[in-house]
Amino acid sequence: MQWWPIRNRDADLERELRSDLELEEQEHRENGLPPEEAHYAARRALGNIVVIREQAHEAWGWAPFERLQQDVRYALQQLRRSPGFSFVAVMTLALGIGGNTAIFSIVNGVLLNPLRFPQPDQLVSLHESKPNFAEGSISYPNFLDWQKDNRSFASMGLSRRWSFSMTGRGDPEQLQGQFISAGFFAVLGVHPLLGREFAENEVQLHAAPVAIISEGLWRRKFSGSPNILGQNVELDGKSFTIVGVMPADFRLPFLTLSERDVYAPIIQWDNPLLMKRGGGLGFHGTGRLRPDVTMDEARADIERVTRNLADAYPDADRGIGATLVPLKEQIVGEARPFLLVLLGAVAFVLLIACVNVASLLLARAQGREREFAVRTALGASRGRVVRQLLTESLLLGFAAGAVGLGAAFLFAHLAIKALPSALPRTQEIGIDFRVLAFTFAISLVTGTLFGLAPALKTSRTNPQTALKSGGRTSTGAQHRTLSALVVLEMAIALVLLAGAGLMIRSLERLWRVDPGFNAHGVLDFNLSLPPSINNATVSEIRAKLRALDRTFASVPGIQAVSQTWGAIPMGGEDDTVFWRDDQPKPADDQHMRWTLDYIVDSDYLRVMQLPVLRGRFFTAQDDEHSPLVAVVDDVFAHKFFPGQDPIGKSIDLSNPIRKLVIVGVVGHVRQWGLDADDARPLRAQLYIACMQMPDDYIASSPTNTNFMVRYDGDLSAVLAGMRRANRAMSDEQVIWGEQTMESMITDSIASRRFAMMLLGAFAALALLLACIGIYGVMAYFVSQRMQEIGIRMALGGQRKDMLILVLTHGARLAILGIVLGLGSAVALTRLMKSLLFDISATDPAVLSGVSILLVMIALAACMLPARRAASVDPMRALRIE
Amino acid sequence: MSSMTKQVQQRAGLLQGTLDMLILRTLLYGPAHGHQIGKHIQRTTNEFLQMQHGSLYPALHRLEQRGWVVSKWETAPDRNREFKYYRLTEKGRKQLVVEESQWKQMAEAVARVMWPAAEEI
């Protein structure tokens, strides 16, 4: 439908009607009427020209467009006429829509969008299931058999993280790297920017070292040279030939979607356990399903493979199964519950905003009653009036949507920046088509939602009464609707407050959980040693390690130093099997006892400030020349020596077989985080002295070690001192990956903190909106009841009574809302159970606390209108009439 | 809404479907402009329909939209001025036959219900 012929056709119709009028007028004049009367008679005979024109437009088929244009123009006029109202309404809704868009953009980026790999649904994350870990690491030999024997995967890859120290190109540098199997990138469907992946012959034992580097490293260290392929790079003292360059946007599909600077074949890892089936070396797999294979079929298939392996290698593989998780689920699964809770919460905020604006509109509609009465009297149908009002509210909705979109963009960025560790895939969060569609849709729904009730209400007004009363009536029905809206707002605000309250209490309790050590002033860092250490003898290595301890201990501000080679509380897991020396050696690993193991120096006790419950901790004398000793935690003692004193008892370790005498018991440390530790099956803890580790172990990968130190004073000063001391030892020695124990604890509860902060913000927002809502409605009621109040005062009512009158009214609404809200909260907070810690989803203290808070604030909001009622001058109030 | 306008509207509603037919039938005599058509219908129905001229024009435009009539501004034979003349098309002629027979059927059906005795005589 084109617009230009409209004017022509309109002019045509106009001319036609005019000629009709003229003929008619002429006839009347010929019948003897005076000209004036003839004119009016003709008009009467023709009928309402506006209606005729509209009907003609209808006949031409463009009436709907025209009506829309008219409605929009009129609505804009109306909104311009009351800029204050329009501003408040748009801002209120923008808050709601912006919040929803922001949270949705996060949900969209993290949960909804497919992973950025070709056919991402075929990608599966692979783990070995072991007695203590559903998602345990896969040993390299087992993986090679999985790869060979399975029938359901098109391809499979294996990898683990490794930190390489690069030397020979300026300052030595620690590179984040990954050991990968052949064909690892092909599984993901990605290809090197330059060169190729590792070939089969390059992943065999004794193959010459090859490496793939990142585009970033290529540009940074090789100045993007086009003949990079075939050049060498020195990693951990070995020379690797570069065969490929990975594009800069490539991310490994693991929890944090990390970038790596360098990739090397797994076989290049000098680890004596690499080719052992029982080795738990932190390798995890990624597979691509054949197109026609389902997850269940793949699971059954890999089960078969692992069963065969258990039969063939009972010593290492008995009891070991497989865990297959869709890759996307693996990455985002943990984020889902709390993102959905947030989405639900922010939807409630929008609902409140809608209710708020609805009550604003309704109160305003009162003032516009005359306007609509006039329009109805002039022939506007009820549908037309409703459409007009809806156009106004939709305009408000879309304006708010536009404002909200901008706010959302900012907000999502800030929120993510504030807490990066809380979420996977944060770099994929943005405003895309789906987010825009979402914003559009909620703006539309919002506009309809808050506009419909007032529109229907207003359009029902009887024009005759409205016109007669001079626009000062207020019907009981209208009051009831407004009251219902306030009650609804209060109820929603209560639900949000309850959610936020529960989160805050959870975090508070979580913070109060004793991790089992003093995290304040503890720093964890890695150290990579010069490549020359690869050629040192074991005793030289031991001497070097001791020297490191001494050197760092002498740095000002450092109070205690310990190397830590096993598990790190909340940082990294490590476990080992053992058996009690007074019991027979079990036939295979699966029947042995499992424990976490911490391989530490004697000063670890001072670093962590662990409590010694019985016996003693290690001393410097517990070294390679003295009898082997062990320290255990109380969980270990209770579990494996129930009712006995473990001191003096012996345990045996395998690999190599050696006997350790338990000399002390220390307090349990929450290895798995403040919240999760109690629920984990593997909690027993065994401490072994570094220097008592076998020679093989000491010599296996001497280039890397990990430290934990206790410091006081300024961290950056301490770090600077350590770097200086480190430099003094060797140019090729690098400190890297330093982080404080406190930040590790904070990170372990980051997603809860994220949820708490946002829920808190949403609840505050809801509270604010609800306050504005109840204030607005009460103020309106007071203004409507001025005369009544005036009469009461004139008849001897006290100011105090008026105050109480209004406050009771407000309190009644608030309490009704709270009762309704409590019912909903009990039903809804259960959905956020997984986010809570040590608190019931219906905790009575939280629920009653937020109820009281809400009543207080509601009453405070009613105070202003109440005082206004109390200060009414009866003479004035009555004279208004 | 006043009772007066209501009455008119009710009658207009009744007319709505038949107005098209009346116009087409009127145009069977030859081309005519809006005022002529209106006057003709008013006269023939003895003003019973209380039709306002205005309602004729949207109907005419509707018929034109459907291709049952065509229009053209022409000079009236008896006056020195232009009027918009409507002319029945072939399609309109066929439509008139259809509407006429439908109307007849309905009128007969209504008559059989309303005055059964008359049928028996």
XYZ file of all heavy atoms in Angstrom, chain A residues 724-797:
563
model
N 63.478 -9.991 43.073
C 64.892 -9.609 43.114
C 65.746 -10.802 43.541
O 66.748 -11.125 42.894
C 65.083 -8.441 44.087
C 65.087 -7.065 43.415
C 65.672 -5.996 44.337
N 65.017 -5.947 45.647
C 63.866 -5.299 45.871
N 63.249 -4.670 44.880
N 63.324 -5.297 47.072
N 65.291 -11.477 44.600
C 66.047 -12.627 45.092
C 66.120 -13.713 44.022
O 67.149 -14.380 43.845
C 65.378 -13.173 46.353
N 65.028 -13.863 43.296
C 64.950 -14.878 42.249
C 65.936 -14.557 41.132
O 66.678 -15.420 40.660
C 63.517 -14.910 41.719
C 63.316 -16.008 40.696
O 63.659 -17.147 40.986
N 62.795 -15.670 39.543
N 65.942 -13.281 40.712
C 66.845 -12.814 39.665
C 68.307 -13.104 40.037
O 69.111 -13.526 39.214
C 66.663 -11.315 39.493
C 66.311 -10.766 38.115
C 66.808 -11.590 37.020
N 65.853 -11.760 35.953
C 65.606 -10.855 35.012
N 66.234 -9.723 35.001
N 64.748 -11.114 34.064
N 68.558 -12.855 41.339
C 69.935 -13.020 41.815
C 70.395 -14.465 41.665
O 71.579 -14.738 41.499
C 70.032 -12.555 43.263
N 69.429 -15.411 41.732
C 69.807 -16.823 41.615
C 70.082 -17.199 40.171
O 71.062 -17.848 39.868
C 68.705 -17.716 42.195
C 68.703 -17.744 43.720
S 67.506 -18.921 44.363
C 66.033 -17.942 44.337
N 69.186 -16.801 39.258
C 69.393 -17.162 37.856
C 68.533 -16.293 36.960
O 67.404 -15.940 37.313
C 69.032 -18.631 37.617
O 68.922 -18.860 36.231
N 69.060 -15.978 35.807
C 68.309 -15.216 34.806
C 67.205 -16.051 34.189
O 66.254 -15.517 33.618
C 69.249 -14.773 33.676
C 69.967 -13.493 34.061
O 69.574 -12.928 35.094
O 70.884 -13.106 33.336
N 67.391 -17.357 34.262
C 66.452 -18.238 33.563
C 65.402 -18.809 34.506
O 64.761 -19.804 34.211
C 67.221 -19.387 32.901
C 68.157 -18.925 31.804
C 68.897 -20.100 31.197
O 69.633 -20.782 31.922
O 68.695 -20.338 30.007
N 65.251 -18.187 35.659
C 64.328 -18.709 36.659
C 63.142 -17.766 36.749
O 63.317 -16.561 36.885
C 65.077 -18.753 37.984
C 64.453 -19.605 39.028
C 65.465 -19.857 40.137
O 66.462 -20.548 39.955
N 65.211 -19.268 41.284
N 61.920 -18.310 36.636
C 60.740 -17.440 36.514
C 59.717 -17.726 37.610
O 59.349 -18.876 37.836
C 60.059 -17.628 35.138
C 58.964 -16.590 34.957
C 61.068 -17.543 34.015
N 59.270 -16.655 38.271
C 58.126 -16.767 39.198
C 56.862 -16.492 38.390
O 56.800 -15.514 37.651
C 58.244 -15.729 40.327
C 59.408 -16.081 41.246
C 56.933 -15.636 41.114
C 59.652 -15.039 42.331
N 55.874 -17.338 38.520
C 54.643 -17.095 37.760
C 53.438 -17.665 38.493
O 53.572 -18.436 39.433
C 54.739 -17.683 36.353
C 55.023 -19.161 36.335
C 56.235 -19.760 36.500
C 54.084 -20.217 36.162
N 56.120 -21.107 36.432
C 54.812 -21.422 36.211
C 52.707 -20.258 35.940
C 54.189 -22.673 36.065
C 52.097 -21.504 35.798
C 52.842 -22.683 35.860
N 52.262 -17.254 38.012
C 51.000 -17.787 38.546
C 50.805 -17.464 40.008
O 50.201 -18.244 40.747
N 51.281 -16.287 40.471
C 51.153 -16.012 41.892
C 49.719 -15.580 42.215
O 49.120 -14.812 41.474
C 52.157 -14.935 42.333
C 52.121 -13.623 41.579
C 52.997 -13.635 40.330
O 53.359 -14.735 39.871
O 53.297 -12.549 39.813
N 49.178 -16.121 43.285
C 47.874 -15.657 43.765
C 47.776 -15.893 45.260
O 48.365 -16.831 45.796
C 46.727 -16.343 43.032
C 46.750 -17.838 43.085
C 45.552 -18.428 42.342
O 44.517 -17.796 42.228
N 45.707 -19.628 41.838
N 47.003 -14.986 45.903
C 46.882 -15.126 47.347
C 45.836 -16.185 47.657
O 44.897 -16.415 46.899
C 46.453 -13.809 48.008
O 45.163 -13.482 47.516
C 47.416 -12.689 47.684
N 46.019 -16.820 48.783
C 45.074 -17.839 49.230
C 43.697 -17.198 49.420
O 42.675 -17.817 49.144
C 45.587 -18.385 50.559
C 45.226 -19.796 50.843
S 45.843 -20.930 49.619
C 44.416 -21.945 49.440
N 43.675 -15.960 49.874
C 42.393 -15.291 50.091
C 41.632 -15.132 48.784
O 40.429 -15.330 48.722
C 42.615 -13.918 50.742
C 42.772 -14.041 52.234
C 43.105 -12.717 52.892
O 43.747 -11.873 52.236
O 42.739 -12.546 54.061
N 42.375 -14.797 47.707
C 41.678 -14.637 46.429
C 41.185 -15.989 45.923
O 40.159 -16.084 45.257
C 42.584 -13.965 45.406
O 43.574 -14.864 44.974
N 41.929 -17.066 46.253
C 41.460 -18.382 45.828
C 40.153 -18.734 46.540
O 39.256 -19.313 45.949
C 42.524 -19.444 46.106
C 43.650 -19.394 45.078
S 45.146 -20.214 45.639
C 44.803 -21.898 45.212
N 40.073 -18.373 47.827
C 38.828 -18.636 48.560
C 37.703 -17.781 47.990
O 36.594 -18.262 47.752
C 39.015 -18.345 50.064
C 39.992 -19.369 50.654
C 37.674 -18.390 50.779
C 40.223 -19.209 52.136
N 38.009 -16.518 47.714
C 36.993 -15.628 47.158
C 36.486 -16.186 45.827
O 35.298 -16.214 45.568
C 37.579 -14.223 46.938
O 38.214 -13.833 48.138
C 36.498 -13.239 46.590
N 37.435 -16.631 44.992
C 37.035 -17.187 43.701
C 36.145 -18.415 43.871
O 35.251 -18.650 43.061
C 38.274 -17.591 42.881
C 38.945 -16.370 42.292
O 38.401 -15.260 42.476
O 40.001 -16.517 41.653
N 36.430 -19.198 44.926
C 35.666 -20.438 45.069
C 34.205 -20.146 45.381
O 33.361 -21.011 45.208
C 36.290 -21.330 46.145
O 35.949 -20.849 47.438
N 33.893 -18.933 45.838
C 32.483 -18.620 46.086
C 32.035 -17.475 45.188
O 31.045 -16.796 45.455
C 32.228 -18.282 47.569
C 33.139 -17.146 48.017
C 32.427 -19.496 48.439
C 32.774 -16.634 49.386
N 32.772 -17.285 44.084
C 32.497 -16.128 43.227
C 31.089 -16.163 42.650
O 30.412 -15.143 42.595
C 33.520 -16.049 42.115
N 30.646 -17.350 42.227
C 29.333 -17.365 41.576
C 28.236 -17.065 42.595
O 27.255 -16.410 42.281
C 29.091 -18.702 40.880
O 29.072 -19.733 41.807
N 28.434 -17.538 43.832
C 27.453 -17.197 44.869
C 27.464 -15.695 45.135
O 26.434 -15.073 45.331
C 27.789 -17.936 46.157
C 27.205 -19.318 46.208
C 26.912 -19.691 47.647
N 26.338 -21.021 47.732
C 27.073 -22.117 47.731
N 28.372 -22.042 47.621
N 26.488 -23.297 47.814
N 28.674 -15.131 45.162
C 28.772 -13.705 45.423
C 28.093 -12.905 44.304
O 27.399 -11.932 44.546
C 30.238 -13.293 45.534
C 30.557 -12.628 46.860
C 32.008 -12.708 47.223
N 32.884 -12.531 46.081
C 33.476 -11.377 45.753
N 33.238 -10.308 46.441
N 34.287 -11.329 44.728
N 28.336 -13.359 43.081
C 27.722 -12.742 41.905
C 26.203 -12.760 42.062
O 25.517 -11.745 41.916
C 28.139 -13.549 40.676
C 27.805 -12.917 39.363
C 28.474 -11.790 38.938
C 26.853 -13.471 38.521
C 28.196 -11.220 37.706
C 26.571 -12.906 37.295
C 27.241 -11.783 36.894
N 25.682 -13.949 42.396
C 24.233 -14.100 42.565
C 23.732 -13.219 43.697
O 22.701 -12.560 43.577
C 23.886 -15.560 42.832
N 24.504 -13.165 44.784
C 24.059 -12.372 45.921
C 24.017 -10.887 45.579
O 23.055 -10.196 45.874
C 24.981 -12.581 47.122
C 24.534 -11.767 48.327
S 25.834 -11.522 49.534
C 26.850 -10.325 48.702
N 25.088 -10.429 44.921
C 25.144 -9.006 44.600
C 23.991 -8.619 43.688
O 23.320 -7.617 43.905
C 26.474 -8.668 43.935
C 27.594 -8.523 44.941
S 29.211 -8.524 44.154
C 29.033 -7.166 43.010
N 23.762 -9.462 42.652
C 22.693 -9.110 41.725
C 21.326 -9.240 42.381
O 20.478 -8.369 42.247
C 22.773 -9.985 40.480
C 23.944 -9.663 39.557
C 23.860 -10.474 38.296
C 23.956 -8.188 39.206
N 21.131 -10.335 43.123
C 19.838 -10.491 43.805
C 19.614 -9.338 44.761
O 18.510 -8.796 44.861
C 19.814 -11.808 44.574
C 19.273 -13.023 43.843
C 19.288 -14.227 44.763
C 17.867 -12.761 43.339
N 20.677 -8.944 45.452
C 20.572 -7.825 46.372
C 20.184 -6.555 45.633
O 19.296 -5.811 46.057
N 20.842 -6.338 44.492
C 20.548 -5.145 43.706
C 19.102 -5.177 43.208
O 18.387 -4.174 43.270
C 21.504 -5.041 42.526
N 18.678 -6.350 42.743
C 17.312 -6.465 42.242
C 16.308 -6.235 43.367
O 15.279 -5.584 43.184
C 17.067 -7.842 41.628
C 17.893 -8.091 40.406
C 18.191 -9.373 39.997
C 18.374 -7.032 39.655
C 18.957 -9.596 38.877
C 19.145 -7.242 38.538
C 19.444 -8.530 38.145
N 16.614 -6.798 44.541
C 15.691 -6.647 45.660
C 15.607 -5.177 46.062
O 14.524 -4.659 46.335
C 16.154 -7.504 46.835
N 16.763 -4.489 46.066
C 16.765 -3.079 46.428
C 15.935 -2.281 45.430
O 15.153 -1.407 45.793
C 18.199 -2.557 46.464
N 16.116 -2.654 44.164
C 15.368 -1.988 43.105
C 13.867 -2.219 43.293
O 13.053 -1.297 43.200
C 15.808 -2.603 41.781
C 15.849 -1.706 40.578
C 16.769 -0.545 40.853
C 16.338 -2.495 39.373
N 13.529 -3.470 43.581
C 12.126 -3.830 43.774
C 11.552 -3.059 44.947
O 10.431 -2.545 44.889
C 12.000 -5.334 44.014
N 12.351 -2.953 46.002
C 11.912 -2.252 47.198
C 11.634 -0.785 46.869
O 10.600 -0.229 47.237
C 13.010 -2.365 48.254
C 12.627 -2.014 49.690
C 11.495 -2.896 50.154
C 13.827 -2.178 50.601
N 12.578 -0.207 46.132
C 12.439 1.195 45.750
C 11.171 1.397 44.922
O 10.358 2.293 45.189
C 13.670 1.626 44.946
C 13.665 3.074 44.481
C 13.917 3.989 45.664
C 14.713 3.301 43.404
N 10.995 0.544 43.921
C 9.835 0.678 43.046
C 8.545 0.488 43.829
O 7.573 1.223 43.649
C 9.915 -0.338 41.914
C 10.993 -0.063 40.864
C 11.044 -1.168 39.839
C 10.743 1.269 40.190
N 8.556 -0.515 44.713
C 7.351 -0.777 45.498
C 7.022 0.407 46.392
O 5.863 0.758 46.585
C 7.531 -2.050 46.322
N 8.088 1.027 46.941
C 7.900 2.212 47.773
C 7.253 3.332 46.976
O 6.286 3.953 47.414
C 9.242 2.734 48.255
S 9.705 2.032 49.780
N 7.833 3.590 45.801
C 7.281 4.639 44.954
C 5.827 4.300 44.646
O 4.954 5.166 44.674
C 8.091 4.759 43.651
C 9.517 5.190 43.981
C 7.435 5.739 42.696
C 10.428 5.238 42.789
N 5.577 3.035 44.408
C 4.224 2.592 44.080
C 3.257 2.878 45.200
O 2.226 3.529 45.009
N 3.593 2.442 46.402
C 2.648 2.606 47.511
C 2.524 4.078 47.867
O 1.433 4.574 48.154
C 3.056 1.756 48.747
C 1.857 1.648 49.712
C 4.258 2.302 49.459
C 2.061 0.628 50.808
N 3.636 4.810 47.738
C 3.573 6.245 48.000
C 2.620 6.921 47.020
O 1.734 7.680 47.415
C 4.964 6.871 47.891
C 4.905 8.365 47.725
C 4.674 9.194 48.821
C 5.046 8.949 46.466
C 4.577 10.561 48.666
C 4.945 10.318 46.301
C 4.711 11.119 47.401
O 4.603 12.468 47.239
N 2.790 6.593 45.745
C 1.971 7.226 44.710
C 0.494 6.953 44.924
O -0.343 7.860 44.871
N 0.192 5.705 45.222
C -1.211 5.336 45.362
C -1.817 5.967 46.613
O -2.924 6.495 46.586
C -1.350 3.799 45.377
C -2.748 3.396 45.819
C -1.034 3.249 44.000
N -1.045 5.956 47.711
C -1.574 6.548 48.931
C -1.767 8.052 48.751
O -2.775 8.616 49.193
C -0.634 6.283 50.121
C -0.567 4.838 50.554
S -2.154 4.031 50.760
C -2.771 4.897 52.178
N -0.800 8.688 48.091
C -0.922 10.120 47.859
C -2.173 10.397 47.030
O -2.918 11.354 47.289
C 0.323 10.633 47.132
N -2.423 9.560 46.074
C -3.604 9.717 45.227
C -4.883 9.549 46.038
O -5.822 10.345 45.929
C -3.525 8.708 44.090
C -4.781 8.624 43.287
C -5.124 9.664 42.419
C -5.630 7.537 43.397
C -6.278 9.597 41.681
C -6.784 7.467 42.666
C -7.115 8.493 41.814
O -8.259 8.436 41.096
N -4.876 8.491 46.876
C -6.061 8.260 47.716
C -6.339 9.477 48.592
O -7.468 9.918 48.728
C -5.851 7.036 48.617
C -6.039 5.732 47.906
C -5.732 4.532 48.537
C -6.529 5.700 46.600
C -5.910 3.331 47.886
C -6.702 4.491 45.943
C -6.391 3.305 46.597
N -5.267 9.996 49.177
C -5.446 11.144 50.070
C -6.040 12.321 49.294
O -6.976 12.972 49.750
C -4.107 11.526 50.736
C -4.215 12.890 51.400
C -3.722 10.465 51.752
N -5.504 12.543 48.091
C -6.012 13.680 47.328
C -7.482 13.453 46.962
O -8.265 14.381 46.896
C -5.160 13.895 46.078
O -5.443 12.889 45.136
N -7.856 12.218 46.744
C -9.239 11.922 46.413
C -10.168 12.078 47.619
O -11.340 12.345 47.470
C -9.346 10.486 45.885
C -8.770 10.291 44.504
C -9.636 10.916 43.446
O -10.848 10.739 43.442
N -9.045 11.667 42.543
N -9.582 11.864 48.791
C -10.439 11.858 49.974
C -10.366 13.167 50.748
O -10.802 13.238 51.893
C -10.065 10.692 50.890
C -10.414 9.362 50.266
C -9.857 8.212 51.055
N -10.579 7.980 52.290
C -10.251 7.008 53.138
N -9.243 6.220 52.876
N -10.950 6.842 54.243
N -9.789 14.201 50.108
C -9.646 15.496 50.769
C -10.939 15.949 51.432
O -10.959 16.388 52.585
C -9.218 16.565 49.770
C -7.731 16.659 49.582
S -6.905 16.848 51.149
C -5.233 16.910 50.616
N -12.057 15.860 50.670
C -13.320 16.362 51.214
C -13.728 15.566 52.424
O -14.116 16.113 53.459
C -14.424 16.252 50.175
C -14.237 17.208 49.030
C -15.180 16.862 47.913
O -16.342 16.589 48.160
N -14.691 16.869 46.701
N -13.610 14.239 52.293
C -14.008 13.380 53.402
C -13.200 13.740 54.646
O -13.739 13.894 55.746
C -13.751 11.925 53.008
C -14.152 10.945 54.085
C -13.480 9.609 53.901
O -13.233 9.224 52.734
O -13.180 8.964 54.924
N -11.868 13.897 54.402
C -11.003 14.232 55.525
C -11.405 15.582 56.108
O -11.482 15.757 57.328
C -9.532 14.230 55.080
C -9.126 12.800 54.717
C -8.632 14.771 56.174
C -7.801 12.686 54.021
N -11.694 16.515 55.198
C -12.117 17.845 55.642
C -13.353 17.766 56.519
O -13.426 18.395 57.593
N -14.321 16.956 56.090
C -15.565 16.823 56.856
C -15.278 16.223 58.224
O -15.741 16.701 59.259
C -16.580 15.958 56.083
C -17.034 16.721 54.848
C -17.763 15.590 56.966
C -17.858 15.906 53.892
N -14.439 15.172 58.219
C -14.118 14.532 59.486
C -13.480 15.516 60.452
O -13.776 15.525 61.646
C -13.149 13.379 59.263
C -13.833 12.143 58.725
C -12.802 11.070 58.484
N -13.401 9.901 57.902
C -13.240 8.676 58.404
N -12.492 8.490 59.455
N -13.830 7.662 57.833
N -12.554 16.305 59.865
C -11.877 17.277 60.726
C -12.868 18.295 61.250
O -12.838 18.679 62.422
C -10.777 17.997 59.959
C -9.732 17.091 59.385
S -8.448 16.696 60.541
C -7.341 18.036 60.199
N -13.771 18.727 60.353
C -14.753 19.736 60.739
C -15.632 19.185 61.850
O -16.077 19.913 62.741
C -15.596 20.132 59.541
N -15.878 17.882 61.817
C -16.741 17.278 62.837
C -15.960 16.923 64.092
O -16.440 16.196 64.940
C -17.410 16.027 62.269
C -18.421 16.312 61.153
C -19.025 15.009 60.654
C -19.508 17.259 61.647
N -14.706 17.383 64.162
C -13.969 17.188 65.399
C -12.904 16.107 65.356
O -12.349 15.747 66.384
N -12.626 15.591 64.167
C -11.564 14.581 64.051
C -10.215 15.202 64.370
O -9.973 16.372 64.079
